[in-house]
Amino acid sequence: MVNREFVNQQWLQHTPLVTAITVGFSLIVAAISAALAFGIFRRSRFAVVAMIGLVVVLQLYGWFVVRSIAGSLVSVVVVAFLARGARRMFQDHAERV
């Protein structure tokens, strides 16, 4: 059987306020990601570097604060592709100047 105290503690962690804050934070991250994705589409060097920073910061938060390795492989692949695209964007800019 499951310990009643453990179940009650888990339930209290998911209050409506915590849920609302989590949803709000997720929407903010989604809006920032969408804006940076549009910037990357427009070949903005700042946007690609900022997106790499955002992915790395969110993954570090997951590792050190949440203590979870979830999404690590995906983050590594995404950062690798962003870095490859960033290198190409910087090369294109250097060729135009």
Side-chain angles (χ1 to χ4, degrees), residues 38-97:
F38 182 73
I40 292 170
F41 174 74
R42 303 279 299 165
R43 297 188 183 263
S44 167
R45 293 173 294 153
F46 169 79
V48 73
V49 172
M51 184 68 90
I52 290 170
L54 179 66
V55 171
V56 168
V57 165
L58 290 175
Q59 189 59 47
L60 288 174
Y61 174 81
W63 287 342
F64 296 117
V65 176
V66 181
R67 298 181 192 271
S68 172
I69 62 167
S72 296
L73 180 62
V74 174
S75 293
V76 168
V77 170
V78 168
V79 167
F81 278 109
L82 286 170
R84 181 178 174 205
R87 188 179 74 191
R88 182 68 182 153
M89 281 184 198
F90 279 95
Q91 284 176 348
D92 286 347
H93 181 74
E95 290 173 1
R96 278 189 270 150
V97 175

